[in-house]
Amino acid sequence: MRVGILTGGGDAPGLNGVVESATKCLVQAGVEVVGIVDGFEGVYNKDTIALTIDKVDGIHQNAGTILGTSNKRGIGEDADEFVACFKELKLDGLIAAGGDGTFKALSDVSSRINIIGIPKTIDNDLSGTDITFGHYTACGLISRSISTLKHSADAHKRIMVLETMGRTAGWLALNGGLAGYADAILIPELDFDFQALVDSCKEKLAQGSRGLVLCVSEGVKFEGKKIIKQIVEDAPETERLGGISSVLAIALEKELGIEARNVILGHLQRSEPPEVFDKLLTLQLGASAAELVIKNKWNKALAYKNCTVMPVELNSFTGAPRLVDPKLELIKQARNLGIFI
Ligand code: F6P
């Protein structure tokens, strides 16, 4: 049997772990494994590399993906071309790790080729799975950044506004912001009242805080408007968000009469080496994908539910994004701690 592995969409810490784990299991079971370069592009361009145990040994420790990835070209109207190229590669099946864009694209060809899908995104916004790998590593960086910025905030008696990724979902700002004990956390799922935020900052400063660190998700709207940084033509998701932290810092400085600065964490959130949870999760995802291949059980995806990796339907992740439930216990607890949210 000859199987291809592909990583698609934005990179996430742990992609290399999936490649190492799946390759090691498959090669030891006698399966030939090839890596497809740069996501779907590698199928159209028939660009592959041989994956051997030697080639993948130890890559799980590194961020990025040795295969390259892309969040541009999908499949859609190119389904016939995609299937023809796939056949030319003489592959019996495909293991694809990706986000909602990758899964939507795969659904265009899932009746014509053998696929195993592995969900991935630092945003943690895929319905059908409890947690996606990369998320907790990104939250680790966010929480460390909040603690680090507190030093400069205190030194200068400033407000520092830290901006996270996450698109329409607030998981990164919520989990990273809580782990860092931010003074305020703003997420797209909860409309916020600017005057209430100002009052909360005033109160914290009056109580003796020298500086404050606020954590805001890129999808948060200000005065009803989301802040779009860029439009990427031809991408499954064309809008790139970014800039809310700058808008907020300017507005807060004006209202509070103390200096405010913003920091956009950006792609640093995707570039950290995976932390232990993500290493363990990707080991299990890669090994479970290999097991399905060896048992010839195709057109499945893998979900992580109740602390267990399990096979689910391939189309399990193409629904609406999984957003933060405003009634979450964690939000109540944050408020009890005095965090503005
Ligand atoms: O979906 C992952 C993500 O990192 C989002 O949080 C972010 O909005 C987007 O990708 C950024 O995409 P790009 O890599 O195209 O800038």
Side-chain angles (χ1 to χ4, degrees):
M1 195 175 350
R2 186 173 141 91
V3 167
I5 303 185
L6 164 161
T7 54
D11 62 331
L15 279 171
N16 280 323
V18 170
V19 175
E20 177 169 349
S21 165
T23 302
K24 283 184 166 170
C25 293
L26 288 168
V27 169
Q28 286 180 101
V31 178
E32 185 185 348
V33 188
V34 297
I36 296 171
V37 177
D38 294 341
F40 293 132
E41 301 279 353
V43 175
Y44 295 113
N45 301 333
K46 283 157 267 163
D47 190 1
T48 62
I49 51 169
L51 290 180
T52 56
I53 291 190
D54 235 29
K55 178 100 186 156
V56 300
D57 195 30
I59 63 170
H60 67 274
Q61 309 170 56
N62 304 325
T65 158
I66 62 159
L67 302 179
T69 188
S70 163
N71 54 5
K72 285 199 179 155
R73 191 169 176 189
I75 299 182
E77 288 171 1
D78 299 330
D80 287 344
E81 185 188 345
F82 186 89
V83 172
C85 293
F86 191 79
K87 287 195 173 144
E88 275 184 59
L89 289 171
K90 304 213 177 315
L91 294 170
D92 298 300
L94 175 69
I95 296 175
D100 56 347
T102 302
F103 276 91
K104 277 177 197 140
L106 289 172
S107 67
D108 298 326
V109 289
S110 57
S111 58
R112 300 165 72 184
I113 63 174
N114 291 331
I115 301 169
I116 305 292
I118 298 181
K120 161 249 55 163
T121 166
I122 64 162
D123 301 343
N124 197 32
D125 64 346
L126 292 187
S127 54
T129 191
D130 292 349
I131 189 91
T132 47
F133 70 83
H135 178 67
Y136 281 143
T137 298
C139 287
L141 177 74
I142 295 164
S143 67
R144 285 192 299 280
S145 304
I146 291 167
S147 309
T148 307
L149 281 172
K150 179 81 171 115
H151 296 294
S152 184
D154 283 352
H156 283 268
K157 292 189 179 170
R158 278 178 176 164
I159 310 275
M160 301 299 294
V161 187
L162 178 76
E163 179 171 326
T164 72
M165 284 185 165
R167 303 191 298 180
T168 54
W171 294 108
L172 283 169
L174 179 67
N175 290 333
L178 280 177
Y181 285 67
D183 292 293
I185 297 171
L186 304 178
I187 59 173
E189 294 87 340
L190 283 171
D191 284 338
F192 81 100
D193 174 12
F194 180 66
Q195 197 49 53
L197 174 65
V198 168
D199 292 344
S200 160
C201 291
K202 276 186 185 158
E203 201 181 316
K204 280 173 185 274
L205 294 169
Q207 282 167 356
S209 295
R210 281 179 59 90
L212 302 176
V213 184
L214 281 43
C215 182
V216 57
S217 171
E218 65 180 5
V220 165
K221 293 180 182 157
F222 188 71
E223 292 174 346
K225 273 198 296 193
K226 60 182 168 187
I227 317 292
I228 298 168
K229 182 180 64 181
Q230 195 179 346
I231 298 289
V232 182
E233 301 295 349
D234 301 333
E237 181 96 31
T238 53
E239 280 180 1
R240 294 295 179 274
L241 303 173
I244 179 68
S245 56
S246 164
V247 173
L248 259 180
I250 292 167
L252 285 168
E253 182 166 307
K254 208 166 143 212
E255 272 308 304
L256 288 165
I258 71 165
E259 284 185 323
R261 298 285 188 269
N262 76 299
V263 175
I264 300 179
L265 264 185
H267 296 81
L268 286 169
Q269 290 159 101
R270 303 210 310 232
S271 304
E272 289 275 295
E275 290 182 6
V276 69
F277 176 84
D278 287 328
K279 283 182 181 166
L280 281 171
L281 178 54
T282 53
L283 177 147
Q284 293 172 73
L285 289 167
S288 303
E291 201 180 324
L292 290 173
V293 169
I294 293 159
K295 289 185 177 155
N296 235 337
K297 290 193 175 158
W298 293 99
N299 293 336
K300 296 272 171 221
L302 292 164
Y304 183 72
K305 288 184 185 174
N306 304 321
C307 302
T308 311
V309 169
M310 58 180 74
V312 292
E313 291 311 306
L314 183 59
N315 64 5
S316 300
F317 309 112
T318 48
R322 190 173 67 93
L323 302 179
V324 174
D325 178 356
K327 293 199 194 84
L328 214 62
E329 194 57 29
L330 210 51
I331 293 178
K332 265 193 251 157
Q333 289 165 344
R335 289 189 177 130
N336 292 344
L337 256 87
I339 296 174
F340 179 91
I341 181 166

